[in-house]
Amino acid sequence: MVAMVDRAMEWLNTIVSEPYYLFHFLAFFSYIPIHCSASLVLTPDICSLLLYREIQAVLAFLMLTAVKAVRAETWEELIADTLLFGKVFIVLVSLSIDYRLALWYSVSFLVIFALTLQPAYQGLVASSKLTPLQLETVLTEGSNSRFWLVEFHSSSSPLCIPASRCFAELALRYSNKNLSFGIIDLGLFPNVAENFGISLVTASQLPTYILFENATEVARFPEIDFETKPSHPHITKRLLARHFELDRLLLEYVNGK
């Protein structure tokens, strides 16, 4: 019981302290007084239609959220998609009241998108945040680790937020004396991107993961593709572990190879 209360207080503190969550919370719950006020001026027929639309929206929202909860690999991904579903449905339901209300919500969500960013994973990490100089030192002068798996991301890119937990959890599971994990923030060091063939303009290139063996690149994800893809590959722990053969590297370390 105490753990549940502590968890609830932690979530409440996150909602209040993070602008991304706070503004979404205020926007969503602003619909309650708007609905109450609209019920006083709308005709009974329109109120009945509005209630019907709201029930439809809630059921559809719950169904989509349940499906996403099964498929989502990280909390960040689930929260982002759940908020997206909520924004779509609240705009559609608002159309039953007044198109100007739907427009107001649309503009509000665009402003929230422009001014705030979903917080990245802040839990336990076993990866090192590297500067360009530190990365160069690791690659040129060597280190205790034979392999380095480096994530090149931008802290200001919404595409990198859902994948932040994946890399952190992979580092916790696979990090050892033979394999180290590092992170380079291309938002802080954009010049590094060109050195490793990463485009900051193309959405499909963020985040990029590169595996180095004794300072030599041996694999990367996504692959360098000169025919730019319009969409970003969906990052999962299973995909990265399979692509970089992390289980094999861990077994080699355990067996002393």
Side-chain angles (χ1 to χ4, degrees):
M1 184 65 180
V2 176
M4 293 179 61
V5 173
D6 291 341
R7 186 64 176 174
M9 293 301 297
E10 181 182 345
W11 275 101
L12 181 60
N13 180 66
T14 301
I15 291 175
V16 173
S17 60
E18 293 289 349
Y20 178 83
Y21 296 126
L22 177 61
F23 291 157
H24 277 96
F25 178 85
L26 294 176
F28 288 140
F29 278 86
S30 68
Y31 181 79
I32 296 177
I34 291 174
H35 170 86
C36 295
S37 300
S39 299
L40 299 176
V41 297
L42 296 176
T43 64
D45 290 341
I46 296 180
C47 287
S48 297
L49 177 61
L50 176 60
L51 178 61
Y52 178 72
R53 297 300 186 198
E54 289 171 341
I55 294 174
Q56 282 184 317
V58 170
L59 292 177
F61 172 79
L62 293 176
M63 182 183 66
L64 290 174
T65 301
V67 172
K68 192 61 185 179
V70 174
R71 296 183 177 180
E73 189 163 301
T74 66
W75 278 104
E76 287 75 17
E77 179 185 354
L78 175 60
I79 291 173
D81 288 336
T82 300
L83 291 177
L84 176 61
F85 298 152
K87 287 182 279 191
V88 171
F89 286 125
I90 202 169
V91 170
L92 293 177
V93 170
S94 299
L95 286 172
S96 300
I97 300 176
D98 193 308
Y99 76 91
R100 289 169 292 186
L101 178 60
L103 181 61
W104 181 86
Y105 271 118
S106 299
V107 173
S108 298
F109 291 139
L110 287 175
V111 171
I112 293 174
F113 175 79
L115 298 181
T116 66
L117 186 66
Q118 182 182 7
Y121 173 70
Q122 300 294 333
L124 295 174
V125 294
S127 53
S128 304
K129 292 185 177 180
L130 304 174
T131 65
L133 181 60
Q134 290 172 327
L135 178 61
E136 182 180 357
T137 300
V138 166
L139 296 181
T140 58
E141 299 180 8
S143 67
N144 295 329
S145 297
R146 175 185 171 188
F147 295 94
W148 272 86
L149 181 57
V150 182
E151 178 188 59
F152 296 85
H153 72 199
S154 175
S155 57
S156 60
S157 172
L159 295 174
C160 298
I161 303 302
S164 60
R165 182 184 293 264
C166 291
F167 192 75
E169 293 182 352
L170 284 177
L172 287 172
R173 179 175 181 180
Y174 292 101
S175 182
N176 55 67
K177 292 182 180 180
N178 201 38
L179 173 62
S180 296
F181 290 75
I183 299 173
I184 286 283
D185 190 343
L186 299 180
L188 299 177
F189 311 107
N191 293 334
V192 177
E194 183 178 355
N195 297 338
F196 292 94
I198 303 171
S199 173
L200 296 179
V201 178
T202 306
S204 61
Q205 289 292 308
L206 289 176
T208 289
Y209 304 88
I210 301 180
L211 179 65
F212 298 94
E213 180 180 5
N214 296 324
T216 301
E217 178 182 333
V218 294
R220 75 160 57 198
F221 183 86
E223 301 285 352
I224 295 179
D225 190 355
F226 294 101
E227 296 181 2
T228 304
K229 298 180 180 179
S231 61
H232 186 273
H234 183 61
I235 304 297
T236 64
K237 289 182 291 184
R238 180 179 300 179
L239 183 149
L240 293 177
R242 183 174 65 250
H243 185 82
F244 293 108
E245 299 182 312
L246 298 184
D247 289 303
R248 178 181 63 81
L249 297 180
L250 181 60
L251 286 175
E252 287 182 357
Y253 168 72
V254 171
N255 294 330
K257 294 184 179 180

